[in-house]
mmCIF file of all heavy atoms in Angstrom:
data_model
loop_
_atom_site.group_PDB
_atom_site.id
_atom_site.type_symbol
_atom_site.label_atom_id
_atom_site.label_comp_id
_atom_site.label_asym_id
_atom_site.label_seq_id
_atom_site.Cartn_x
_atom_site.Cartn_y
_atom_site.Cartn_z
ATOM 1 N N PRO A 3 -19.422 24.427 57.786
ATOM 2 C CA PRO A 3 -18.314 24.818 56.930
ATOM 3 C C PRO A 3 -18.158 24.105 55.511
ATOM 4 O O PRO A 3 -17.101 23.631 55.157
ATOM 5 C CB PRO A 3 -17.065 24.406 57.770
ATOM 6 C CG PRO A 3 -17.508 23.211 58.458
ATOM 7 C CD PRO A 3 -19.049 23.454 58.879
ATOM 8 N N PHE A 4 -19.342 24.155 54.841
ATOM 9 C CA PHE A 4 -19.342 23.464 53.533
ATOM 10 C C PHE A 4 -18.689 24.314 52.437
ATOM 11 O O PHE A 4 -18.977 25.534 52.424
ATOM 12 C CB PHE A 4 -20.733 23.139 53.053
ATOM 13 C CG PHE A 4 -21.531 22.265 54.072
ATOM 14 C CD1 PHE A 4 -22.630 22.688 54.697
ATOM 15 C CD2 PHE A 4 -21.055 20.982 54.349
ATOM 16 C CE1 PHE A 4 -23.324 21.835 55.531
ATOM 17 C CE2 PHE A 4 -21.867 20.068 55.090
ATOM 18 C CZ PHE A 4 -22.919 20.591 55.793
ATOM 19 N N THR A 5 -17.864 23.771 51.584
ATOM 20 C CA THR A 5 -17.244 24.594 50.456
ATOM 21 C C THR A 5 -18.075 24.065 49.132
ATOM 22 O O THR A 5 -17.814 24.919 48.181
ATOM 23 C CB THR A 5 -15.790 24.232 50.387
ATOM 24 O OG1 THR A 5 -15.523 22.739 50.473
ATOM 25 C CG2 THR A 5 -14.969 24.913 51.548
ATOM 26 N N ALA A 6 -18.691 23.011 49.090
ATOM 27 C CA ALA A 6 -19.431 22.544 47.892
ATOM 28 C C ALA A 6 -20.618 21.738 48.242
ATOM 29 O O ALA A 6 -20.634 21.178 49.444
ATOM 30 C CB ALA A 6 -18.376 21.900 46.963
ATOM 31 N N PHE A 7 -21.473 21.527 47.365
ATOM 32 C CA PHE A 7 -22.706 20.744 47.684
ATOM 33 C C PHE A 7 -22.798 19.693 46.532
ATOM 34 O O PHE A 7 -22.532 19.980 45.407
ATOM 35 C CB PHE A 7 -23.957 21.528 47.751
ATOM 36 C CG PHE A 7 -24.064 22.511 48.812
ATOM 37 C CD1 PHE A 7 -24.104 23.876 48.714
ATOM 38 C CD2 PHE A 7 -23.926 22.047 50.127
ATOM 39 C CE1 PHE A 7 -24.117 24.741 49.781
ATOM 40 C CE2 PHE A 7 -24.051 22.889 51.248
ATOM 41 C CZ PHE A 7 -24.054 24.258 50.943
ATOM 42 N N SER A 8 -23.241 18.463 47.039
ATOM 43 C CA SER A 8 -23.178 17.331 46.039
ATOM 44 C C SER A 8 -24.618 16.950 45.724
ATOM 45 O O SER A 8 -25.625 17.243 46.526
ATOM 46 C CB SER A 8 -22.503 16.179 46.650
ATOM 47 O OG SER A 8 -22.377 15.057 45.724
ATOM 48 N N HIS A 9 -24.776 16.112 44.760
ATOM 49 C CA HIS A 9 -26.145 15.538 44.246
ATOM 50 C C HIS A 9 -27.352 16.263 44.728
ATOM 51 O O HIS A 9 -28.050 15.875 45.599
ATOM 52 C CB HIS A 9 -26.123 14.017 44.616
ATOM 53 C CG HIS A 9 -25.519 13.572 45.921
ATOM 54 N ND1 HIS A 9 -25.961 14.009 47.079
ATOM 55 C CD2 HIS A 9 -24.568 12.717 46.008
ATOM 56 C CE1 HIS A 9 -25.251 13.369 48.017
ATOM 57 N NE2 HIS A 9 -24.453 12.602 47.463
ATOM 58 N N VAL A 10 -27.619 17.400 44.096
ATOM 59 C CA VAL A 10 -28.734 18.349 44.321
ATOM 60 C C VAL A 10 -30.027 17.640 44.321
ATOM 61 O O VAL A 10 -30.883 17.865 45.099
ATOM 62 C CB VAL A 10 -28.711 19.474 43.347
ATOM 63 C CG1 VAL A 10 -29.990 20.372 43.534
ATOM 64 C CG2 VAL A 10 -27.519 20.318 43.588
ATOM 65 N N ASP A 11 -30.166 16.654 43.297
ATOM 66 C CA ASP A 11 -31.467 15.907 43.224
ATOM 67 C C ASP A 11 -31.342 14.472 43.462
ATOM 68 O O ASP A 11 -31.761 13.631 42.730
ATOM 69 C CB ASP A 11 -32.092 16.284 41.840
ATOM 70 C CG ASP A 11 -31.055 16.016 40.731
ATOM 71 O OD1 ASP A 11 -29.832 15.715 40.861
ATOM 72 O OD2 ASP A 11 -31.507 16.233 39.558
ATOM 73 N N LEU A 12 -30.670 14.138 44.515
ATOM 74 C CA LEU A 12 -30.414 12.669 44.813
ATOM 75 C C LEU A 12 -31.702 11.768 44.980
ATOM 76 O O LEU A 12 -31.569 10.594 44.572
ATOM 77 C CB LEU A 12 -29.748 12.611 46.268
ATOM 78 C CG LEU A 12 -29.348 11.202 46.789
ATOM 79 C CD1 LEU A 12 -28.382 10.543 45.823
ATOM 80 C CD2 LEU A 12 -28.816 11.274 48.189
ATOM 81 N N PRO A 13 -32.854 12.249 45.226
ATOM 82 C CA PRO A 13 -34.046 11.413 45.339
ATOM 83 C C PRO A 13 -34.322 10.623 43.968
ATOM 84 O O PRO A 13 -35.101 9.652 44.035
ATOM 85 C CB PRO A 13 -35.134 12.243 45.735
ATOM 86 C CG PRO A 13 -34.534 13.353 46.617
ATOM 87 C CD PRO A 13 -33.201 13.589 45.867
ATOM 88 N N LYS A 14 -33.837 11.108 42.911
ATOM 89 C CA LYS A 14 -34.068 10.428 41.625
ATOM 90 C C LYS A 14 -33.174 9.127 41.464
ATOM 91 O O LYS A 14 -33.230 8.320 40.490
ATOM 92 C CB LYS A 14 -33.746 11.331 40.401
ATOM 93 C CG LYS A 14 -32.255 11.637 40.176
ATOM 94 C CD LYS A 14 -32.213 12.590 39.020
ATOM 95 C CE LYS A 14 -30.786 13.024 38.814
ATOM 96 N NZ LYS A 14 -30.584 14.122 37.930
ATOM 97 N N VAL A 15 -32.325 8.710 42.500
ATOM 98 C CA VAL A 15 -31.336 7.770 42.357
ATOM 99 C C VAL A 15 -31.926 6.442 41.902
ATOM 100 O O VAL A 15 -31.364 5.661 41.260
ATOM 101 C CB VAL A 15 -30.663 7.495 43.814
ATOM 102 C CG1 VAL A 15 -31.705 7.173 44.916
ATOM 103 C CG2 VAL A 15 -29.634 6.418 43.712
ATOM 104 N N PHE A 16 -33.149 6.008 42.339
ATOM 105 C CA PHE A 16 -33.811 4.792 42.005
ATOM 106 C C PHE A 16 -34.697 5.015 40.852
ATOM 107 O O PHE A 16 -35.490 4.095 40.418
ATOM 108 C CB PHE A 16 -34.631 4.186 43.114
ATOM 109 C CG PHE A 16 -33.818 3.834 44.349
ATOM 110 C CD1 PHE A 16 -33.954 4.381 45.503
ATOM 111 C CD2 PHE A 16 -32.584 2.943 44.169
ATOM 112 C CE1 PHE A 16 -33.144 4.105 46.625
ATOM 113 C CE2 PHE A 16 -31.805 2.596 45.271
ATOM 114 C CZ PHE A 16 -32.100 3.257 46.474
ATOM 115 N N GLY A 17 -34.707 6.159 40.209
ATOM 116 C CA GLY A 17 -35.516 6.359 38.874
ATOM 117 C C GLY A 17 -36.721 7.158 39.117
ATOM 118 O O GLY A 17 -37.432 7.496 38.194
ATOM 119 N N ASP A 18 -37.086 7.687 40.358
ATOM 120 C CA ASP A 18 -38.251 8.426 40.642
ATOM 121 C C ASP A 18 -37.978 9.933 40.384
ATOM 122 O O ASP A 18 -37.405 10.544 41.338
ATOM 123 C CB ASP A 18 -38.777 8.203 42.114
ATOM 124 C CG ASP A 18 -39.286 6.752 42.164
ATOM 125 O OD1 ASP A 18 -40.239 6.413 41.472
ATOM 126 O OD2 ASP A 18 -38.806 6.140 43.137
ATOM 127 N N ARG A 19 -38.381 10.562 39.245
ATOM 128 C CA ARG A 19 -38.152 11.942 39.056
ATOM 129 C C ARG A 19 -39.021 12.733 39.809
ATOM 130 O O ARG A 19 -40.115 12.332 40.351
ATOM 131 C CB ARG A 19 -38.342 12.227 37.526
ATOM 132 C CG ARG A 19 -37.362 11.590 36.529
ATOM 133 C CD ARG A 19 -35.971 12.143 36.751
ATOM 134 N NE ARG A 19 -35.049 11.818 35.734
ATOM 135 C CZ ARG A 19 -34.312 10.780 35.611
ATOM 136 N NH1 ARG A 19 -34.398 9.854 36.586
ATOM 137 N NH2 ARG A 19 -33.487 10.528 34.520
ATOM 138 N N VAL A 20 -38.662 13.984 40.032
ATOM 139 C CA VAL A 20 -39.436 14.846 40.882
ATOM 140 C C VAL A 20 -40.818 15.034 40.241
ATOM 141 O O VAL A 20 -41.023 15.365 39.065
ATOM 142 C CB VAL A 20 -38.768 16.300 41.016
ATOM 143 C CG1 VAL A 20 -38.476 16.908 39.754
ATOM 144 C CG2 VAL A 20 -39.567 17.144 42.019
ATOM 145 N N PRO A 21 -41.973 14.786 41.023
ATOM 146 C CA PRO A 21 -43.359 14.760 40.483
ATOM 147 C C PRO A 21 -43.918 16.093 40.333
ATOM 148 O O PRO A 21 -45.293 16.154 40.087
ATOM 149 C CB PRO A 21 -44.049 13.785 41.311
ATOM 150 C CG PRO A 21 -43.395 14.007 42.727
ATOM 151 C CD PRO A 21 -41.892 14.361 42.429
ATOM 152 N N PHE A 22 -43.318 17.115 40.567
ATOM 153 C CA PHE A 22 -43.945 18.491 40.589
ATOM 154 C C PHE A 22 -42.888 19.527 39.951
ATOM 155 O O PHE A 22 -41.697 19.113 39.848
ATOM 156 C CB PHE A 22 -44.400 18.951 41.994
ATOM 157 C CG PHE A 22 -43.305 18.824 43.067
ATOM 158 C CD1 PHE A 22 -42.271 19.774 43.167
ATOM 159 C CD2 PHE A 22 -43.237 17.682 43.982
ATOM 160 C CE1 PHE A 22 -41.310 19.710 44.214
ATOM 161 C CE2 PHE A 22 -42.329 17.598 44.819
ATOM 162 C CZ PHE A 22 -41.324 18.522 45.013
ATOM 163 N N ASP A 23 -43.392 20.618 39.706
ATOM 164 C CA ASP A 23 -42.494 21.763 39.218
ATOM 165 C C ASP A 23 -41.514 22.143 40.210
ATOM 166 O O ASP A 23 -41.978 22.872 41.227
ATOM 167 C CB ASP A 23 -43.276 22.772 38.592
ATOM 168 C CG ASP A 23 -42.410 23.850 37.922
ATOM 169 O OD1 ASP A 23 -41.213 23.813 38.019
ATOM 170 O OD2 ASP A 23 -42.989 24.848 37.276
ATOM 171 N N ALA A 24 -40.265 21.870 40.129
ATOM 172 C CA ALA A 24 -39.311 22.170 41.181
ATOM 173 C C ALA A 24 -38.470 23.459 40.888
ATOM 174 O O ALA A 24 -37.438 23.666 41.561
ATOM 175 C CB ALA A 24 -38.369 21.005 41.428
ATOM 176 N N THR A 25 -38.982 24.160 39.891
ATOM 177 C CA THR A 25 -38.215 25.326 39.423
ATOM 178 C C THR A 25 -37.900 26.313 40.542
ATOM 179 O O THR A 25 -36.746 26.874 40.813
ATOM 180 C CB THR A 25 -38.912 26.129 38.225
ATOM 181 O OG1 THR A 25 -39.077 25.206 37.128
ATOM 182 C CG2 THR A 25 -38.021 27.254 37.795
ATOM 183 N N GLU A 26 -38.936 26.549 41.373
ATOM 184 C CA GLU A 26 -38.724 27.456 42.537
ATOM 185 C C GLU A 26 -37.763 27.047 43.490
ATOM 186 O O GLU A 26 -36.946 27.738 43.967
ATOM 187 C CB GLU A 26 -40.110 27.732 43.147
ATOM 188 C CG GLU A 26 -39.995 28.907 44.377
ATOM 189 C CD GLU A 26 -41.420 29.228 44.822
ATOM 190 O OE1 GLU A 26 -42.300 28.905 44.114
ATOM 191 O OE2 GLU A 26 -41.421 29.837 45.979
ATOM 192 N N ASP A 27 -37.861 25.735 43.744
ATOM 193 C CA ASP A 27 -36.855 25.063 44.690
ATOM 194 C C ASP A 27 -35.514 25.206 44.257
ATOM 195 O O ASP A 27 -34.550 25.650 44.993
ATOM 196 C CB ASP A 27 -37.245 23.589 44.875
ATOM 197 C CG ASP A 27 -38.503 23.398 45.740
ATOM 198 O OD1 ASP A 27 -38.580 23.707 46.781
ATOM 199 O OD2 ASP A 27 -39.404 22.788 45.108
ATOM 200 N N TYR A 28 -35.343 24.913 42.964
ATOM 201 C CA TYR A 28 -33.902 25.088 42.344
ATOM 202 C C TYR A 28 -33.396 26.519 42.471
ATOM 203 O O TYR A 28 -32.227 26.762 42.764
ATOM 204 C CB TYR A 28 -33.917 24.573 40.925
ATOM 205 C CG TYR A 28 -34.120 23.203 40.747
ATOM 206 C CD1 TYR A 28 -34.874 22.718 39.618
ATOM 207 C CD2 TYR A 28 -33.648 22.130 41.594
ATOM 208 C CE1 TYR A 28 -35.083 21.362 39.425
ATOM 209 C CE2 TYR A 28 -33.934 20.812 41.567
ATOM 210 C CZ TYR A 28 -34.607 20.428 40.362
ATOM 211 O OH TYR A 28 -34.900 19.091 40.178
ATOM 212 N N HIS A 29 -34.279 27.517 42.185
ATOM 213 C CA HIS A 29 -33.889 28.867 42.300
ATOM 214 C C HIS A 29 -33.430 29.255 43.749
ATOM 215 O O HIS A 29 -32.448 29.952 43.969
ATOM 216 C CB HIS A 29 -35.040 29.755 41.870
ATOM 217 C CG HIS A 29 -34.994 30.098 40.281
ATOM 218 N ND1 HIS A 29 -34.069 30.770 39.660
ATOM 219 C CD2 HIS A 29 -35.947 29.573 39.331
ATOM 220 C CE1 HIS A 29 -34.382 30.748 38.364
ATOM 221 N NE2 HIS A 29 -35.465 30.043 38.172
ATOM 222 N N GLU A 30 -34.221 28.654 44.713
ATOM 223 C CA GLU A 30 -33.900 29.047 46.107
ATOM 224 C C GLU A 30 -32.644 28.319 46.499
ATOM 225 O O GLU A 30 -31.723 29.024 47.159
ATOM 226 C CB GLU A 30 -35.056 28.466 47.019
ATOM 227 C CG GLU A 30 -36.398 29.337 46.895
ATOM 228 C CD GLU A 30 -37.434 28.671 47.709
ATOM 229 O OE1 GLU A 30 -37.237 27.753 48.398
ATOM 230 O OE2 GLU A 30 -38.488 29.251 47.632
ATOM 231 N N MET A 31 -32.372 27.152 46.134
ATOM 232 C CA MET A 31 -31.045 26.365 46.336
ATOM 233 C C MET A 31 -29.970 27.114 45.713
ATOM 234 O O MET A 31 -28.958 27.156 46.370
ATOM 235 C CB MET A 31 -31.310 24.927 45.930
ATOM 236 C CG MET A 31 -32.385 24.094 46.583
ATOM 237 S SD MET A 31 -32.870 22.767 45.678
ATOM 238 C CE MET A 31 -31.726 21.537 46.131
ATOM 239 N N ALA A 32 -30.159 27.528 44.467
ATOM 240 C CA ALA A 32 -29.036 28.275 43.844
ATOM 241 C C ALA A 32 -28.662 29.506 44.575
ATOM 242 O O ALA A 32 -27.529 29.975 44.668
ATOM 243 C CB ALA A 32 -29.437 28.508 42.448
ATOM 244 N N ALA A 33 -29.744 30.200 44.946
ATOM 245 C CA ALA A 33 -29.465 31.566 45.707
ATOM 246 C C ALA A 33 -28.776 31.315 46.945
ATOM 247 O O ALA A 33 -27.885 32.146 47.271
ATOM 248 C CB ALA A 33 -30.787 32.244 45.823
ATOM 249 N N LEU A 34 -29.146 30.263 47.744
ATOM 250 C CA LEU A 34 -28.463 30.076 48.968
ATOM 251 C C LEU A 34 -27.030 29.674 48.849
ATOM 252 O O LEU A 34 -26.124 30.055 49.618
ATOM 253 C CB LEU A 34 -29.308 28.982 49.773
ATOM 254 C CG LEU A 34 -30.547 29.250 50.358
ATOM 255 C CD1 LEU A 34 -31.325 28.005 50.775
ATOM 256 C CD2 LEU A 34 -30.480 30.234 51.539
ATOM 257 N N THR A 35 -26.879 28.933 47.834
ATOM 258 C CA THR A 35 -25.403 28.493 47.547
ATOM 259 C C THR A 35 -24.539 29.660 47.140
ATOM 260 O O THR A 35 -23.424 29.843 47.378
ATOM 261 C CB THR A 35 -25.485 27.375 46.288
ATOM 262 O OG1 THR A 35 -26.318 26.332 46.745
ATOM 263 C CG2 THR A 35 -24.004 26.872 46.091
ATOM 264 N N ALA A 36 -25.174 30.543 46.302
ATOM 265 C CA ALA A 36 -24.430 31.758 45.654
ATOM 266 C C ALA A 36 -24.068 32.662 46.992
ATOM 267 O O ALA A 36 -23.085 33.241 46.992
ATOM 268 C CB ALA A 36 -25.188 32.520 44.664
ATOM 269 N N ASP A 37 -25.108 32.766 47.877
ATOM 270 C CA ASP A 37 -24.902 33.578 49.041
ATOM 271 C C ASP A 37 -23.693 33.271 49.835
ATOM 272 O O ASP A 37 -23.102 34.130 50.506
ATOM 273 C CB ASP A 37 -26.206 33.709 49.922
ATOM 274 C CG ASP A 37 -27.295 34.521 49.269
ATOM 275 O OD1 ASP A 37 -27.017 35.169 48.287
ATOM 276 O OD2 ASP A 37 -28.533 34.389 49.688
ATOM 277 N N ARG A 38 -23.377 31.944 49.933
ATOM 278 C CA ARG A 38 -22.440 31.528 50.817
ATOM 279 C C ARG A 38 -21.046 31.293 49.963
ATOM 280 O O ARG A 38 -20.054 30.822 50.577
ATOM 281 C CB ARG A 38 -22.707 30.373 51.622
ATOM 282 C CG ARG A 38 -22.992 29.111 50.739
ATOM 283 C CD ARG A 38 -23.600 27.953 51.576
ATOM 284 N NE ARG A 38 -22.470 27.580 52.579
ATOM 285 C CZ ARG A 38 -22.642 26.989 53.849
ATOM 286 N NH1 ARG A 38 -23.962 26.914 54.113
ATOM 287 N NH2 ARG A 38 -21.698 26.688 54.595
ATOM 288 N N ASP A 39 -21.109 31.546 48.738
ATOM 289 C CA ASP A 39 -19.991 31.390 47.755
ATOM 290 C C ASP A 39 -19.490 29.993 47.800
ATOM 291 O O ASP A 39 -18.230 29.747 47.733
ATOM 292 C CB ASP A 39 -18.906 32.339 48.070
ATOM 293 C CG ASP A 39 -17.815 32.340 46.978
ATOM 294 O OD1 ASP A 39 -18.132 32.129 45.769
ATOM 295 O OD2 ASP A 39 -16.624 32.665 47.337
ATOM 296 N N ALA A 40 -20.435 29.051 47.806
ATOM 297 C CA ALA A 40 -20.016 27.515 47.804
ATOM 298 C C ALA A 40 -20.189 27.121 46.333
ATOM 299 O O ALA A 40 -20.782 27.727 45.533
ATOM 300 C CB ALA A 40 -20.974 26.749 48.727
ATOM 301 N N MET A 41 -19.614 26.014 46.111
ATOM 302 C CA MET A 41 -19.690 25.443 44.725
ATOM 303 C C MET A 41 -20.758 24.386 44.698
ATOM 304 O O MET A 41 -21.108 23.781 45.657
ATOM 305 C CB MET A 41 -18.271 24.750 44.309
ATOM 306 C CG MET A 41 -17.130 25.707 44.216
ATOM 307 S SD MET A 41 -15.458 24.811 43.961
ATOM 308 C CE MET A 41 -15.087 24.388 45.612
ATOM 309 N N ILE A 42 -21.231 24.136 43.570
ATOM 310 C CA ILE A 42 -22.165 23.064 43.282
ATOM 311 C C ILE A 42 -21.317 21.885 42.536
ATOM 312 O O ILE A 42 -20.276 22.251 41.783
ATOM 313 C CB ILE A 42 -23.360 23.426 42.475
ATOM 314 C CG1 ILE A 42 -24.427 22.439 42.545
ATOM 315 C CG2 ILE A 42 -23.003 23.715 40.953
ATOM 316 C CD1 ILE A 42 -25.016 22.331 43.928
ATOM 317 N N GLU A 43 -21.727 20.753 42.693
ATOM 318 C CA GLU A 43 -20.992 19.658 41.952
ATOM 319 C C GLU A 43 -21.820 18.953 40.990
ATOM 320 O O GLU A 43 -23.052 18.751 41.046
ATOM 321 C CB GLU A 43 -20.629 18.602 43.026
ATOM 322 C CG GLU A 43 -19.953 17.435 42.425
ATOM 323 C CD GLU A 43 -19.955 16.248 43.437
ATOM 324 O OE1 GLU A 43 -21.157 15.629 43.616
ATOM 325 O OE2 GLU A 43 -19.000 15.887 44.110
ATOM 326 N N VAL A 44 -21.284 18.703 39.693
ATOM 327 C CA VAL A 44 -21.820 17.676 38.819
ATOM 328 C C VAL A 44 -21.318 16.349 39.199
ATOM 329 O O VAL A 44 -20.080 16.193 39.233
ATOM 330 C CB VAL A 44 -21.487 18.070 37.387
ATOM 331 C CG1 VAL A 44 -22.018 16.990 36.392
ATOM 332 C CG2 VAL A 44 -22.070 19.371 36.916
ATOM 333 N N ASN A 45 -22.230 15.525 39.553
ATOM 334 C CA ASN A 45 -21.895 14.208 40.082
ATOM 335 C C ASN A 45 -22.217 13.257 39.125
ATOM 336 O O ASN A 45 -23.352 13.069 38.652
ATOM 337 C CB ASN A 45 -22.595 13.962 41.510
ATOM 338 C CG ASN A 45 -22.286 12.664 42.186
ATOM 339 O OD1 ASN A 45 -22.255 11.652 41.576
ATOM 340 N ND2 ASN A 45 -22.022 12.815 43.405
ATOM 341 N N THR A 46 -21.275 12.547 38.646
ATOM 342 C CA THR A 46 -21.288 11.585 37.520
ATOM 343 C C THR A 46 -21.943 10.247 37.894
ATOM 344 O O THR A 46 -22.242 9.453 37.021
ATOM 345 C CB THR A 46 -20.075 11.240 36.678
ATOM 346 O OG1 THR A 46 -19.207 10.594 37.511
ATOM 347 C CG2 THR A 46 -19.512 12.685 36.349
ATOM 348 N N ALA A 47 -22.004 9.995 39.233
ATOM 349 C CA ALA A 47 -22.585 8.646 39.712
ATOM 350 C C ALA A 47 -23.927 8.363 39.157
ATOM 351 O O ALA A 47 -24.341 7.238 39.184
ATOM 352 C CB ALA A 47 -22.482 8.544 41.193
ATOM 353 N N GLY A 48 -24.813 9.479 38.921
ATOM 354 C CA GLY A 48 -26.105 9.158 38.560
ATOM 355 C C GLY A 48 -26.295 8.398 37.161
ATOM 356 O O GLY A 48 -27.169 7.644 36.957
ATOM 357 N N TRP A 49 -25.148 8.415 36.318
ATOM 358 C CA TRP A 49 -25.156 7.732 35.142
ATOM 359 C C TRP A 49 -24.899 6.266 35.447
ATOM 360 O O TRP A 49 -25.197 5.370 34.527
ATOM 361 C CB TRP A 49 -24.058 8.244 34.243
ATOM 362 C CG TRP A 49 -24.459 9.480 33.458
ATOM 363 C CD1 TRP A 49 -25.590 9.587 32.729
ATOM 364 C CD2 TRP A 49 -23.670 10.622 33.316
ATOM 365 N NE1 TRP A 49 -25.599 10.931 32.115
ATOM 366 C CE2 TRP A 49 -24.445 11.575 32.462
ATOM 367 C CE3 TRP A 49 -22.458 11.158 33.838
ATOM 368 C CZ2 TRP A 49 -24.037 12.821 32.193
ATOM 369 C CZ3 TRP A 49 -22.113 12.359 33.519
ATOM 370 C CH2 TRP A 49 -22.849 13.275 32.649
ATOM 371 N N ARG A 50 -24.439 5.902 36.578
ATOM 372 C CA ARG A 50 -24.165 4.484 36.980
ATOM 373 C C ARG A 50 -25.271 3.993 37.851
ATOM 374 O O ARG A 50 -25.211 2.929 38.438
ATOM 375 C CB ARG A 50 -22.838 4.354 37.672
ATOM 376 C CG ARG A 50 -21.715 4.937 36.929
ATOM 377 C CD ARG A 50 -20.339 4.684 37.432
ATOM 378 N NE ARG A 50 -20.094 5.093 38.816
ATOM 379 C CZ ARG A 50 -19.595 6.370 39.141
ATOM 380 N NH1 ARG A 50 -19.433 7.225 38.203
ATOM 381 N NH2 ARG A 50 -19.470 6.606 40.440
#
């Protein structure tokens, strides 16, 4: 019963950016979120 999803790219937390082209993953994630009419969150903790 999720109504929103948080920190889509959490693995970068310690500074390790995704090492491959993740465009297709993001499109799949977005489509799944749209299909269930859930929200995505901009999480500001990454700046800290």
Side-chain angles (χ1 to χ4, degrees):
F4 301 119
T5 48
F7 295 118
S8 185
H9 36 61
V10 169
D11 48 1
L12 181 63
K14 70 185 179 189
V15 59
F16 298 122
D18 292 304
R19 294 294 194 271
V20 58
F22 51 81
D23 183 356
T25 303
E26 183 176 346
D27 290 295
Y28 294 144
H29 277 289
E30 292 175 2
M31 295 159 83
L34 289 168
T35 305
D37 285 347
R38 64 185 296 150
D39 192 29
M41 293 175 279
I42 198 68
E43 174 199 76
V44 175
N45 184 308
T46 72
W49 281 308
R50 307 191 299 275

